[in-house]
Amino acid sequence: FSVNKFNLMSVYERDHGPRDGSSLASHARKLFKKAGLQLDGGRIRLLCYPRILGYVFDPWLSYVTGGWAYGHGAVSGTMTTGALVTSFSQSTDYSGWTVGGGLEASIVANWTAKVEYLYVDLGESNFNMTGTANSYQFGVIRLGANYHF
């Protein structure tokens, strides 16, 4: 498995996020900040291992996919109450599931284009500092082009 390198199984950051050359981590941090969450340099990890089942209606391939999903969340910061300054941090691994489907079509020669939707459910957890439940369910839409060797 490789990141930003050719391999049998690989992920290219330029295929996801804002597609402006920035890393996925910086894109995720911007989204967290926009939502009012400050990670203070914490690690962000999200990993899905889908299995694919589909049927070809030439030139279309329709498929459903599903499997195990993994995520990691970390939060840290400081709270000031009068003269009292308190630092806090917490990190947690999340395990859940993903399910979705997609369409892929032959466009020219060895090229195909695809659209895919995944629903990811990483469950729910309580942060010690707030005691409130946080749930992690979200959808992912992927658009892509593939070259078949």
Short mmCIF file of all heavy atoms in Angstrom, two decimals, residues 98-143:
data_model
loop_
_atom_site.label_atom_id
_atom_site.label_comp_id
_atom_site.label_asym_id
_atom_site.label_seq_id
_atom_site.Cartn_x
_atom_site.Cartn_y
_atom_site.Cartn_z
N THR A 98 -18.83 0.85 6.66
CA THR A 98 -19.14 1.71 5.53
C THR A 98 -19.94 0.92 4.51
O THR A 98 -19.76 -0.30 4.37
CB THR A 98 -17.86 2.30 4.90
OG1 THR A 98 -18.22 3.17 3.82
CG2 THR A 98 -16.94 1.22 4.37
N VAL A 99 -20.84 1.59 3.81
CA VAL A 99 -21.63 0.96 2.76
C VAL A 99 -21.90 2.03 1.69
O VAL A 99 -21.98 3.21 2.01
CB VAL A 99 -22.94 0.35 3.30
CG1 VAL A 99 -23.89 1.43 3.81
CG2 VAL A 99 -23.62 -0.52 2.27
N GLY A 100 -21.99 1.61 0.45
CA GLY A 100 -22.24 2.57 -0.62
C GLY A 100 -22.40 1.90 -1.96
O GLY A 100 -22.59 0.69 -2.04
N GLY A 101 -22.30 2.70 -2.98
CA GLY A 101 -22.44 2.18 -4.33
C GLY A 101 -21.93 3.19 -5.33
O GLY A 101 -21.62 4.33 -4.99
N GLY A 102 -21.84 2.74 -6.58
CA GLY A 102 -21.34 3.65 -7.59
C GLY A 102 -21.62 3.19 -9.00
O GLY A 102 -22.13 2.09 -9.23
N LEU A 103 -21.27 4.06 -9.93
CA LEU A 103 -21.36 3.79 -11.36
C LEU A 103 -20.02 4.13 -12.00
O LEU A 103 -19.41 5.15 -11.66
CB LEU A 103 -22.43 4.67 -12.02
CG LEU A 103 -23.88 4.33 -11.75
CD1 LEU A 103 -24.78 5.42 -12.32
CD2 LEU A 103 -24.24 2.99 -12.35
N GLU A 104 -19.58 3.28 -12.91
CA GLU A 104 -18.35 3.54 -13.66
C GLU A 104 -18.66 3.27 -15.13
O GLU A 104 -19.34 2.30 -15.46
CB GLU A 104 -17.22 2.63 -13.18
CG GLU A 104 -15.88 2.98 -13.78
CD GLU A 104 -14.73 2.31 -13.04
OE1 GLU A 104 -14.94 1.73 -11.98
OE2 GLU A 104 -13.60 2.39 -13.57
N ALA A 105 -18.18 4.15 -16.00
CA ALA A 105 -18.48 4.03 -17.43
C ALA A 105 -17.22 4.19 -18.25
O ALA A 105 -16.35 5.00 -17.93
CB ALA A 105 -19.50 5.07 -17.85
N SER A 106 -17.14 3.42 -19.32
CA SER A 106 -16.05 3.56 -20.28
C SER A 106 -16.29 4.85 -21.07
O SER A 106 -17.39 5.10 -21.55
CB SER A 106 -16.06 2.35 -21.21
OG SER A 106 -15.08 2.48 -22.19
N ILE A 107 -15.22 5.69 -21.16
CA ILE A 107 -15.40 6.94 -21.90
C ILE A 107 -14.62 6.95 -23.20
O ILE A 107 -15.19 7.26 -24.23
CB ILE A 107 -15.10 8.18 -21.02
CG1 ILE A 107 -13.80 8.04 -20.26
CG2 ILE A 107 -16.21 8.43 -20.05
CD1 ILE A 107 -13.42 9.24 -19.43
N VAL A 108 -13.32 6.63 -23.19
CA VAL A 108 -12.54 6.50 -24.42
C VAL A 108 -11.41 5.50 -24.17
O VAL A 108 -10.83 5.47 -23.10
CB VAL A 108 -11.91 7.84 -24.90
CG1 VAL A 108 -12.97 8.82 -25.38
CG2 VAL A 108 -11.06 8.47 -23.84
N ALA A 109 -11.11 4.70 -25.16
CA ALA A 109 -10.00 3.73 -25.11
C ALA A 109 -9.94 3.05 -23.75
O ALA A 109 -10.86 2.35 -23.38
CB ALA A 109 -8.69 4.39 -25.50
N ASN A 110 -8.86 3.25 -23.00
CA ASN A 110 -8.68 2.59 -21.71
C ASN A 110 -9.14 3.44 -20.52
O ASN A 110 -8.83 3.12 -19.38
CB ASN A 110 -7.19 2.24 -21.51
CG ASN A 110 -6.74 1.18 -22.48
OD1 ASN A 110 -7.54 0.54 -23.15
ND2 ASN A 110 -5.45 0.99 -22.58
N TRP A 111 -9.84 4.51 -20.76
CA TRP A 111 -10.26 5.42 -19.70
C TRP A 111 -11.70 5.16 -19.26
O TRP A 111 -12.57 4.90 -20.08
CB TRP A 111 -10.15 6.87 -20.16
CG TRP A 111 -8.74 7.36 -20.22
CD1 TRP A 111 -7.93 7.34 -21.32
CD2 TRP A 111 -7.98 7.91 -19.16
NE1 TRP A 111 -6.70 7.86 -20.99
CE2 TRP A 111 -6.70 8.22 -19.66
CE3 TRP A 111 -8.25 8.18 -17.83
CZ2 TRP A 111 -5.71 8.79 -18.89
CZ3 TRP A 111 -7.26 8.75 -17.05
CH2 TRP A 111 -6.00 9.05 -17.59
N THR A 112 -11.93 5.24 -17.94
CA THR A 112 -13.27 5.18 -17.39
C THR A 112 -13.46 6.35 -16.43
O THR A 112 -12.49 6.89 -15.90
CB THR A 112 -13.54 3.86 -16.62
OG1 THR A 112 -12.63 3.75 -15.54
CG2 THR A 112 -13.42 2.65 -17.54
N ALA A 113 -14.72 6.73 -16.22
CA ALA A 113 -15.06 7.76 -15.25
C ALA A 113 -16.02 7.14 -14.25
O ALA A 113 -16.80 6.25 -14.60
CB ALA A 113 -15.71 8.96 -15.94
N LYS A 114 -15.95 7.60 -13.00
CA LYS A 114 -16.82 7.00 -11.99
C LYS A 114 -17.34 8.04 -11.01
O LYS A 114 -16.75 9.10 -10.81
CB LYS A 114 -16.08 5.91 -11.23
CG LYS A 114 -15.02 6.40 -10.29
CD LYS A 114 -14.44 5.25 -9.49
CE LYS A 114 -13.42 5.75 -8.48
NZ LYS A 114 -12.95 4.68 -7.64
N VAL A 115 -18.46 7.69 -10.39
CA VAL A 115 -19.03 8.43 -9.28
C VAL A 115 -19.41 7.38 -8.23
O VAL A 115 -19.92 6.31 -8.57
CB VAL A 115 -20.23 9.31 -9.70
CG1 VAL A 115 -21.36 8.47 -10.28
CG2 VAL A 115 -20.71 10.15 -8.53
N GLU A 116 -19.11 7.69 -6.96
CA GLU A 116 -19.35 6.72 -5.90
C GLU A 116 -19.81 7.47 -4.65
O GLU A 116 -19.36 8.58 -4.37
CB GLU A 116 -18.05 5.97 -5.60
CG GLU A 116 -18.14 4.98 -4.47
CD GLU A 116 -16.83 4.26 -4.23
OE1 GLU A 116 -15.95 4.85 -3.56
OE2 GLU A 116 -16.69 3.13 -4.71
N TYR A 117 -20.71 6.84 -3.90
CA TYR A 117 -21.14 7.38 -2.62
C TYR A 117 -20.86 6.35 -1.54
O TYR A 117 -21.14 5.15 -1.72
CB TYR A 117 -22.64 7.71 -2.63
CG TYR A 117 -23.12 8.12 -1.26
CD1 TYR A 117 -22.89 9.40 -0.78
CD2 TYR A 117 -23.76 7.21 -0.43
CE1 TYR A 117 -23.30 9.78 0.50
CE2 TYR A 117 -24.17 7.57 0.84
CZ TYR A 117 -23.94 8.85 1.30
OH TYR A 117 -24.34 9.21 2.56
N LEU A 118 -20.31 6.80 -0.40
CA LEU A 118 -20.08 5.94 0.76
C LEU A 118 -20.72 6.59 1.98
O LEU A 118 -20.55 7.79 2.21
CB LEU A 118 -18.59 5.77 1.05
CG LEU A 118 -17.78 4.92 0.10
CD1 LEU A 118 -16.30 4.98 0.50
CD2 LEU A 118 -18.25 3.48 0.12
N TYR A 119 -21.44 5.80 2.75
CA TYR A 119 -21.91 6.24 4.06
C TYR A 119 -20.99 5.57 5.08
O TYR A 119 -20.76 4.36 5.02
CB TYR A 119 -23.36 5.80 4.30
CG TYR A 119 -23.83 6.11 5.69
CD1 TYR A 119 -24.24 7.40 6.03
CD2 TYR A 119 -23.85 5.13 6.67
CE1 TYR A 119 -24.65 7.70 7.31
CE2 TYR A 119 -24.27 5.42 7.95
CZ TYR A 119 -24.68 6.70 8.28
OH TYR A 119 -25.08 6.99 9.54
N VAL A 120 -20.42 6.36 6.00
CA VAL A 120 -19.49 5.85 7.00
C VAL A 120 -20.07 6.07 8.38
O VAL A 120 -20.52 7.18 8.70
CB VAL A 120 -18.11 6.55 6.89
CG1 VAL A 120 -17.14 6.00 7.92
CG2 VAL A 120 -17.54 6.40 5.49
N ASP A 121 -20.09 5.03 9.20
CA ASP A 121 -20.57 5.12 10.58
C ASP A 121 -19.46 4.63 11.50
O ASP A 121 -19.14 3.44 11.53
CB ASP A 121 -21.82 4.28 10.77
CG ASP A 121 -22.45 4.47 12.14
OD1 ASP A 121 -21.73 4.82 13.10
OD2 ASP A 121 -23.68 4.26 12.25
N LEU A 122 -18.86 5.56 12.25
CA LEU A 122 -17.79 5.21 13.19
C LEU A 122 -18.30 5.20 14.63
O LEU A 122 -17.51 5.24 15.57
CB LEU A 122 -16.62 6.19 13.05
CG LEU A 122 -15.91 6.16 11.71
CD1 LEU A 122 -14.85 7.24 11.64
CD2 LEU A 122 -15.30 4.79 11.45
N GLY A 123 -19.60 5.13 14.82
CA GLY A 123 -20.17 5.02 16.16
C GLY A 123 -20.22 6.35 16.89
O GLY A 123 -20.29 7.41 16.30
N GLU A 124 -20.15 6.25 18.20
CA GLU A 124 -20.30 7.42 19.06
C GLU A 124 -19.39 7.25 20.27
O GLU A 124 -19.08 6.13 20.67
CB GLU A 124 -21.78 7.49 19.42
CG GLU A 124 -22.15 8.22 20.62
CD GLU A 124 -23.67 8.27 20.81
OE1 GLU A 124 -24.42 8.57 19.87
OE2 GLU A 124 -24.07 8.00 21.93
N SER A 125 -18.93 8.35 20.82
CA SER A 125 -18.08 8.30 22.01
C SER A 125 -18.30 9.55 22.84
O SER A 125 -18.83 10.54 22.36
CB SER A 125 -16.62 8.16 21.63
OG SER A 125 -16.16 9.36 21.05
N ASN A 126 -17.86 9.50 24.07
CA ASN A 126 -17.92 10.66 24.96
C ASN A 126 -16.53 11.21 25.14
O ASN A 126 -15.59 10.46 25.40
CB ASN A 126 -18.47 10.27 26.33
CG ASN A 126 -19.94 9.95 26.29
OD1 ASN A 126 -20.66 10.42 25.42
ND2 ASN A 126 -20.39 9.14 27.21
N PHE A 127 -16.38 12.51 25.00
CA PHE A 127 -15.11 13.15 25.35
C PHE A 127 -15.13 13.39 26.85
O PHE A 127 -16.10 13.90 27.41
CB PHE A 127 -14.92 14.46 24.59
CG PHE A 127 -14.37 14.27 23.22
CD1 PHE A 127 -15.19 14.35 22.12
CD2 PHE A 127 -13.03 13.99 23.04
CE1 PHE A 127 -14.68 14.16 20.85
CE2 PHE A 127 -12.50 13.80 21.78
CZ PHE A 127 -13.33 13.88 20.69
N ASN A 128 -14.06 13.00 27.54
CA ASN A 128 -13.98 13.13 29.00
C ASN A 128 -14.20 14.56 29.46
O ASN A 128 -14.80 14.80 30.49
CB ASN A 128 -12.62 12.63 29.50
CG ASN A 128 -12.45 11.16 29.27
OD1 ASN A 128 -13.42 10.42 29.16
ND2 ASN A 128 -11.21 10.72 29.17
N MET A 129 -13.66 15.54 28.71
CA MET A 129 -13.71 16.92 29.18
C MET A 129 -15.11 17.53 29.10
O MET A 129 -15.42 18.43 29.85
CB MET A 129 -12.69 17.79 28.46
CG MET A 129 -12.82 17.83 26.97
SD MET A 129 -11.22 18.12 26.25
CE MET A 129 -10.95 16.55 25.51
N THR A 130 -15.95 17.03 28.19
CA THR A 130 -17.30 17.60 28.07
C THR A 130 -18.36 16.65 28.58
O THR A 130 -19.43 17.09 28.98
CB THR A 130 -17.62 17.94 26.61
OG1 THR A 130 -17.62 16.74 25.84
CG2 THR A 130 -16.64 18.94 26.04
N GLY A 131 -18.10 15.35 28.52
CA GLY A 131 -19.10 14.37 28.96
C GLY A 131 -20.25 14.21 28.00
O GLY A 131 -21.20 13.49 28.25
N THR A 132 -20.19 14.89 26.86
CA THR A 132 -21.28 14.79 25.89
C THR A 132 -20.93 13.77 24.82
O THR A 132 -19.77 13.55 24.50
CB THR A 132 -21.56 16.15 25.22
OG1 THR A 132 -20.37 16.58 24.57
CG2 THR A 132 -21.99 17.18 26.23
N ALA A 133 -21.97 13.15 24.30
CA ALA A 133 -21.77 12.14 23.26
C ALA A 133 -21.51 12.82 21.92
O ALA A 133 -22.14 13.82 21.59
CB ALA A 133 -23.00 11.25 23.16
N ASN A 134 -20.56 12.28 21.17
CA ASN A 134 -20.26 12.75 19.83
C ASN A 134 -20.42 11.57 18.88
O ASN A 134 -19.86 10.51 19.11
CB ASN A 134 -18.81 13.26 19.74
CG ASN A 134 -18.58 14.43 20.65
OD1 ASN A 134 -19.08 15.50 20.40
ND2 ASN A 134 -17.85 14.23 21.72
N SER A 135 -21.21 11.76 17.84
CA SER A 135 -21.38 10.67 16.88
C SER A 135 -20.64 11.01 15.60
O SER A 135 -20.49 12.18 15.25
CB SER A 135 -22.86 10.41 16.60
OG SER A 135 -23.46 11.56 16.06
N TYR A 136 -20.16 9.97 14.94
CA TYR A 136 -19.34 10.16 13.74
C TYR A 136 -19.96 9.37 12.59
O TYR A 136 -19.58 8.25 12.32
CB TYR A 136 -17.91 9.70 14.02
CG TYR A 136 -17.32 10.42 15.22
CD1 TYR A 136 -17.30 9.82 16.46
CD2 TYR A 136 -16.84 11.71 15.10
CE1 TYR A 136 -16.79 10.48 17.55
CE2 TYR A 136 -16.33 12.38 16.18
CZ TYR A 136 -16.31 11.77 17.41
OH TYR A 136 -15.82 12.44 18.49
N GLN A 137 -20.94 9.96 11.95
CA GLN A 137 -21.55 9.41 10.75
C GLN A 137 -21.48 10.49 9.68
O GLN A 137 -21.79 11.64 9.96
CB GLN A 137 -23.01 9.01 10.96
CG GLN A 137 -23.22 7.88 11.94
CD GLN A 137 -23.47 8.36 13.35
OE1 GLN A 137 -23.93 9.46 13.57
NE2 GLN A 137 -23.15 7.52 14.31
N PHE A 138 -21.04 10.09 8.49
CA PHE A 138 -20.94 11.08 7.42
C PHE A 138 -20.96 10.38 6.07
O PHE A 138 -20.78 9.17 5.98
CB PHE A 138 -19.66 11.92 7.56
CG PHE A 138 -18.40 11.10 7.71
CD1 PHE A 138 -17.66 10.74 6.61
CD2 PHE A 138 -17.98 10.70 8.98
CE1 PHE A 138 -16.50 9.98 6.75
CE2 PHE A 138 -16.82 9.95 9.13
CZ PHE A 138 -16.09 9.59 8.02
N GLY A 139 -21.21 11.15 5.03
CA GLY A 139 -21.22 10.64 3.67
C GLY A 139 -20.03 11.17 2.89
O GLY A 139 -19.53 12.26 3.15
N VAL A 140 -19.57 10.36 1.94
CA VAL A 140 -18.44 10.74 1.09
C VAL A 140 -18.87 10.52 -0.36
O VAL A 140 -19.37 9.46 -0.70
CB VAL A 140 -17.19 9.86 1.38
CG1 VAL A 140 -16.06 10.21 0.44
CG2 VAL A 140 -16.77 9.99 2.83
N ILE A 141 -18.67 11.53 -1.19
CA ILE A 141 -18.93 11.39 -2.63
C ILE A 141 -17.58 11.47 -3.33
O ILE A 141 -16.80 12.39 -3.10
CB ILE A 141 -19.86 12.50 -3.16
CG1 ILE A 141 -21.24 12.37 -2.51
CG2 ILE A 141 -19.97 12.42 -4.68
CD1 ILE A 141 -22.19 13.49 -2.87
N ARG A 142 -17.32 10.48 -4.17
CA ARG A 142 -16.06 10.46 -4.93
C ARG A 142 -16.36 10.52 -6.42
O ARG A 142 -17.22 9.81 -6.90
CB ARG A 142 -15.29 9.17 -4.66
CG ARG A 142 -14.89 8.97 -3.25
CD ARG A 142 -14.07 7.71 -3.16
NE ARG A 142 -14.07 7.19 -1.81
CZ ARG A 142 -13.42 6.12 -1.43
NH1 ARG A 142 -12.73 5.42 -2.31
NH2 ARG A 142 -13.46 5.71 -0.19
N LEU A 143 -15.62 11.36 -7.11
CA LEU A 143 -15.63 11.42 -8.57
C LEU A 143 -14.24 11.05 -9.02
O LEU A 143 -13.26 11.48 -8.38
CB LEU A 143 -15.99 12.81 -9.06
CG LEU A 143 -17.34 13.37 -8.61
CD1 LEU A 143 -17.48 14.82 -9.06
CD2 LEU A 143 -18.47 12.54 -9.16
#
